[in-house]
Amino acid sequence: MKQYSQMNKDELNALKNELDGAFVKYKEAGRSLNMTRGVPSDDQLALCNDMLTCLNANDYKAANGADCRNYGGLDGLPEVKKIFADLLELTADEVIVGGNSSLALMFDNVSVNVSHGVRDGKPWATQGKIKFLCPSPGYDRHFTICNYFHIDMIPIAMGEDGPDMDEIEKMVAADPLIKGIWCVPKYSNPTGIVYSDETIRRFAKLKPAASDFRIYWDNAYAIHDLGETKKILNIIRLCEEAGNPNMVYVFSSFSKVSFAGASMTCMASSKSNCEYIKQRLTAQTIGPDKLNHLRHARFFKDAASVIAHMEKHAQILRPKFKLVSDMLNSKLGGLGIGAWTEPKGGYFVSFDSLDGLAKRIVALCAGAGVALTPAGATYPNGQDPKDSNIRIAPTFPPLAELEAAMEIFCSAVKLASVEKYLA
Amino acid sequence: MKQYSQMNKDELNALKNELDGAFVKYKEAGRSLNMTRGVPSDDQLALCNDMLTCLNANDYKAANGADCRNYGGLDGLPEVKKIFADLLELTADEVIVGGNSSLALMFDNVSVNVSHGVRDGKPWATQGKIKFLCPSPGYDRHFTICNYFHIDMIPIAMGEDGPDMDEIEKMVAADPLIKGIWCVPKYSNPTGIVYSDETIRRFAKLKPAASDFRIYWDNAYAIHDLGETKKILNIIRLCEEAGNPNMVYVFSSFSKVSFAGASMTCMASSKSNCEYIKQRLTAQTIGPDKLNHLRHARFFKDAASVIAHMEKHAQILRPKFKLVSDMLNSKLGGLGIGAWTEPKGGYFVSFDSLDGLAKRIVALCAGAGVALTPAGATYPNGQDPKDSNIRIAPTFPPLAELEAAMEIFCSAVKLASVEKYLA
């Protein structure tokens, strides 16, 4: 396999003609393939269909006697608090179980810290132009929350073991306007890397200049292993030990465990933080949908069953991730025109093209009927400084569609790269 | 029946001895009766038990093909948007259907107006110490939202036709820091009165000094008639006609239609306001639980069926409201020690004792095993200037318990009144 950088102009032109021809055919095929978001497939959703019917006119009460049809309860049914607590290795009073959107828990948490401040803190809004550190590439909807609240975002480079901790330690110690950092510690969105023990320990031991600095630890893929179960260190316990008991908010979700749009989600933190948050919840809501909590309790029973259930998801997802990996390796391997990750879990594969080509590749794919996450979306303000990162979301399409989409994607990478070398 | 004010000291003392004796017996009985909140009874909840099983592995898709198990959709399934729109006599694009808590919709709406401002407005937080008008007695959880956001509350007197409109017109025209008003226009919480056409027309024609003044129109009991269906005027249309198209946010809820803790709720406003709100929702949430929307669509079908269903609630509630009315009339009628409402719908009866006795009556009831909403809760900051209003919530207890509770309540009113005349 000859690297593109070694090809002469004739070779490149020949390749370009060939690829242009391929794209004519792709367009003629009139495909409409969607790889934009990390969405579970129909097969995965069907795994929980029994949840649709697991309650009935004789079963709507929680173990504590609560009628789940009626009002009452703010922080989740005890049954599901226990499931989350067991999965996250926490106690029930460190856990608040909410509705179907962990994004909503994060948004609300930032919102209240802006308007009211963290427990015993001053409102962030009154402290000047505050900033969040944003390990990048990262999750676009975290960045959208910062944008909404006019919070400046500082990109932090991501490595194999997590974000650049030297940089983070230095910055939070120096600048009291840095109030937060977004983290997806396990199967990070989109790179799929897992924070190392060393990284997590360093997070817990941060010495921020701002006493109201908070880590937003979005453990969205806590149990979403494709193969062997991987455990990451318990950030809440480590923060406690390091004398930073209130520094971290953990978020977790069943969106990719049960039904993506109708699941339950969780926020975990120190008991003191949880108490403070519950004061707000009293003013904010009548509480989460307890019937949906009860459905989850009935269907999943306990944390061990949840883990067993995740293996069923993995069986569906493994061939998809393997297909993506196989095609990237066979079509692009050795060409020197891209690098990609081979994650052991989560929902994404991250692809880095030659500099300056991500937008072009996404546009080529769009023209051929393959929708990808917009280039740049994985960076704060949609600005990928190298214009090279593309998030591939292989979970939703059936295998045959995924194969068609990946063929077009690989051709788009080739064509954009040829164009670059010819320019 | 002799009025207490006409009794001499001996008569009052005799009565006091009798009542003291009754309270000894009440305490011995060791009852635990709860009339604190407007909660549907078991019978009412059972009316919707089929909603627990109305979806299944072959029925989880909306009419537009959306898989309700998966991600997607921000403002509600078209099916339920239509139901709310028909009930409120609006169009679907004037309606956003949310999760199980209309309180959450109100809280979020105030929160975003504080932090970001209304559409084309400046953040309320940047405009000084803002104020809300609070028709009182009113709904305590509205006042809690104001408290949470440090919004000053100005009580407005309530009459038979709604709040004092002369006062409201004068105040909003004079003070640009008045940004909002809380209204429960139909079967007002707690007085049960219905805003007259004249009142509603005057609301729509307000000329506030603040261009970002907003009416929070909590139509919680829109279809909760005990007898004949009562219609109130359409505030959104009237505001439109009066040149105030964006001045009102309407809230509505199925909490007392389907399952109190697991229903669906709605916010309605001008199309322009709804578009602005949906921009925020994109940042805030993955969207409401569509499966629960679909359950409502399957169970209720359309607006006409919802109205028919409400008659089943009315059949359960009528005897309870009648019992309260009968007992108040027979036990307290003609004694000159209280006044009460006889609402034609909603969830509450409002009782006004002689001045300065509400706290004492609630305490006497508590001592005898009857829990009432705390005295003062129906006023901003829990401060009832006359200490006379008590909210009676007759919906939850079975009839026999309600009778026992009302007997104790009436005795408590008598005892507190005797004590007052003896003092």
Side-chain angles (χ1 to χ4, degrees), chain A residues 2 4 7-23 411 414-415 417-419 421-422:
Chain A
K2 197 171 187 178
Y4 279 27
M7 289 185 184
N8 63 34
K9 205 156 183 181
D10 288 347
E11 287 172 313
L12 289 166
N13 272 318
L15 199 48
K16 183 169 185 311
N17 283 339
E18 189 187 309
L19 290 162
D20 283 341
F23 270 86
S411 298
K414 286 181 183 175
L415 180 52
S417 304
V418 167
E419 288 169 349
Y421 281 114
L422 279 172

Side-chain angles (χ1 to χ4, degrees), chain B residues 130-318:
Chain B
I130 66 158
K131 308 163 195 171
F132 264 49
L133 303 183
C134 297
S136 302
Y139 179 33
D140 54 347
R141 301 193 78 160
H142 290 160
F143 306 151
T144 304
I145 292 176
C146 281
N147 261 322
Y148 186 79
F149 289 103
H150 312 298
I151 296 171
D152 278 350
M153 289 180 273
I154 303 172
I156 300 289
M158 280 293 282
E160 289 298 306
D161 293 326
D164 181 341
M165 291 309 297
D166 292 342
E167 188 72 8
I168 291 171
E169 285 166 351
K170 204 174 61 186
M171 295 187 82
V172 302
D175 187 349
L177 287 174
I178 295 177
K179 298 300 186 188
I181 182 167
W182 291 111
C183 296
V184 183
K186 189 170 164 183
Y187 306 132
S188 197
N189 178 350
T191 65
I193 66 104
V194 180
Y195 287 18
S196 69
D197 290 357
E198 166 75 5
T199 296
I200 299 178
R201 285 187 209 283
R202 289 175 72 178
F203 262 111
K205 287 180 189 158
L206 284 176
K207 301 197 188 319
S211 63
D212 54 356
F213 169 83
R214 292 292 177 267
I215 302 168
Y216 285 75
W217 196 258
D218 184 2
N219 205 351
Y221 309 105
I223 51 176
H224 301 59
D225 308 281
L226 286 170
E228 205 182 337
T229 302
K230 231 178 195 156
K231 280 215 173 183
I232 60 167
L233 291 183
N234 185 330
I235 183 82
I236 289 183
R237 288 290 164 272
L238 291 175
C239 280
E240 220 170 70
E241 287 163 21
N244 287 322
N246 300 319
M247 192 172 65
V248 63
Y249 305 119
V250 173
F251 301 91
S252 194
S253 163
F254 266 44
S255 288
K256 283 143 185 153
V257 178
S258 62
F259 294 138
S263 78
M264 59 178 190
T265 62
C266 159
M267 164 157 191
S269 196
S270 66
K271 195 179 156 190
S272 160
N273 278 348
C274 286
E275 277 166 6
Y276 179 63
I277 288 160
K278 280 189 262 186
Q279 286 171 28
R280 163 175 54 94
L281 290 177
T282 306
Q284 183 172 11
T285 175
I286 60 153
D289 181 338
K290 294 186 299 298
L291 283 176
N292 210 35
H293 285 188
L294 191 64
R295 280 185 201 99
H296 282 80
R298 290 288 180 269
F299 182 81
F300 287 106
K301 293 179 184 69
D302 56 28
S305 309
V306 175
I307 298 295
H309 181 83
M310 293 312 289
E311 172 54 24
K312 298 182 190 168
H313 282 287
Q315 282 172 18
I316 296 169
L317 292 175
R318 269 193 294 265

